[in-house]
Amino acid sequence: GIWAVPEGGLEPELTEAIWRGERRPQGNLVAQYLCFQGNLLEACQLRSVRISRIAVQPELQQQGIGKRLISDFILQKIQQNRPLVDYVSVSFGLTEHLLHFWQQCGFQLVQITPTKEASSGYHSAMMLYPISAKGQQFVQQATDQFERDLALQPFYTELQNMLPIRPLVQLQMDEQDWRNIEGFALAQRSLAASYVSLTRLYRQDPRNHGVLANLWQQFESIQGKKEWLDNLRSLVSSYLRYAR
């Protein structure tokens, strides 16, 4: 059996508030996380279905039934697609076994939580399967952005041997990075959500951003230190006044 939950289809105003860190409405677990942490506003506006649980009787496991179940579920969504579904999502504690399972089901890895979940002891992974044309475009965008950012993430060294991606370090700032930094400095986007963009900002011009030096080495220890974060937001905000 599969337990699946509809997500997305949120209004632009609510989506913007989620991205800024001002709203956390109930539900929409993956959609909200991709919007806020992944800097992907379309995740909340498109319509999706999150696979919350999948179960196969213990005596019938290891026979490919789970994969066929997922395949049938996706085929049903493609054929019926009423109401419209743009993509299917899943979130799970990241292990090699589960990553391999969902890859074999055709899902693409688009996000990993920066810290381990207390309940599982693992980082959480989020993977997507496109259904509609808009969903295909979005999943490609999410995949490209994840691979662009991956080597700069604080967890990459720990997980690189498990992941099937060997990305190049891309340090050039783009519009997404600038928007992300503005959200950190002027709204309530978290350090974790803005981490890669802040790292690029520092490496682009380390002389003007000494406060960001070794940020990636301090990530675990400074999370939650309000005074330090408030000071950093203020410094970045001051920089943005003349940088752009």
Side-chain angles (χ1 to χ4, degrees):
I2 288 180
W3 175 18
V5 183
E7 295 191 344
L10 303 184
E11 294 297 324
E13 295 80 6
L14 178 55
T15 298
E16 281 283 344
I18 291 169
W19 178 85
R20 290 194 301 268
E22 299 169 356
R23 296 284 304 276
R24 284 293 179 271
Q26 188 174 4
N28 293 281
L29 175 69
V30 169
Q32 285 198 70
Y33 191 89
L34 293 179
C35 176
F36 180 71
Q37 182 70 28
N39 201 20
L40 295 160
L41 280 76
E42 296 91 338
C44 279
Q45 295 175 341
L46 297 177
R47 294 187 180 275
S48 60
V49 173
R50 173 172 57 88
I51 296 177
S52 179
R53 295 286 187 275
I54 174 175
V56 176
Q57 290 280 11
E59 65 272 17
L60 298 176
Q61 293 176 3
Q62 306 301 319
Q63 298 180 32
I65 294 174
K67 294 185 184 68
R68 293 201 301 273
L69 189 62
I70 298 295
S71 177
D72 289 346
F73 179 79
I74 289 172
L75 183 61
Q76 182 187 66
K77 292 300 175 187
I78 292 173
Q79 290 177 339
Q80 297 177 352
N81 214 6
R82 298 285 191 280
L84 178 67
V85 173
D86 294 300
Y87 65 90
V88 178
S89 70
V90 65
S91 176
F92 56 90
L94 181 56
T95 65
E96 286 191 72
H97 172 72
L98 287 176
L99 178 61
H100 183 62
F101 172 83
W102 288 106
Q103 284 178 319
Q104 287 187 316
C105 292
F107 283 68
Q108 298 183 51
L109 182 62
V110 298
Q111 196 66 216
I112 297 174
T113 57
T115 55
K116 296 178 180 179
E117 299 297 321
S119 57
S120 68
Y122 296 106
H123 295 270
S124 287
M126 297 178 192
M127 301 182 72
L128 306 180
Y129 190 106
I131 300 295
S132 71
K134 287 184 178 179
Q136 291 175 354
Q137 184 178 8
F138 170 69
V139 172
Q140 186 62 56
Q141 175 193 354
T143 302
D144 291 345
Q145 186 166 309
F146 174 72
E147 293 182 359
R148 177 176 181 264
D149 292 347
L150 180 57
L152 297 178
Q153 294 284 11
F155 55 77
Y156 178 63
T157 302
E158 175 191 353
L159 299 177
Q160 60 180 323
N161 292 331
M162 180 193 306
L163 301 177
I165 305 165
R166 294 293 176 265
L168 297 174
V169 177
Q170 299 188 32
L171 299 178
Q172 187 64 37
M173 299 279 289
D174 66 9
E175 284 302 314
Q176 285 283 81
D177 287 312
W178 285 114
R179 177 174 166 79
N180 203 12
I181 288 170
E182 289 171 357
F184 173 78
L186 306 176
Q188 299 178 42
R189 289 186 60 71
S190 68
L191 174 61
S194 312
Y195 175 88
V196 168
S197 297
L198 289 168
T199 299
R200 284 197 181 97
L201 180 65
Y202 168 72
R203 294 193 180 184
Q204 180 174 275
D205 189 2
R207 293 172 299 175
N208 286 338
H209 305 296
V211 69
L212 297 177
N214 299 320
L215 174 65
W216 48 95
Q217 296 176 0
Q218 306 172 44
F219 179 74
E220 294 286 349
S221 61
I222 61 181
Q223 280 244 95
K225 292 190 175 179
K226 188 174 186 304
E227 184 177 352
W228 189 93
L229 286 173
D230 287 346
N231 183 49
L232 178 59
R233 290 184 199 275
S234 178
L235 290 169
V236 175
S237 177
S238 297
Y239 170 77
L240 290 174
R241 290 193 189 100
Y242 68 82
R244 300 207 76 195

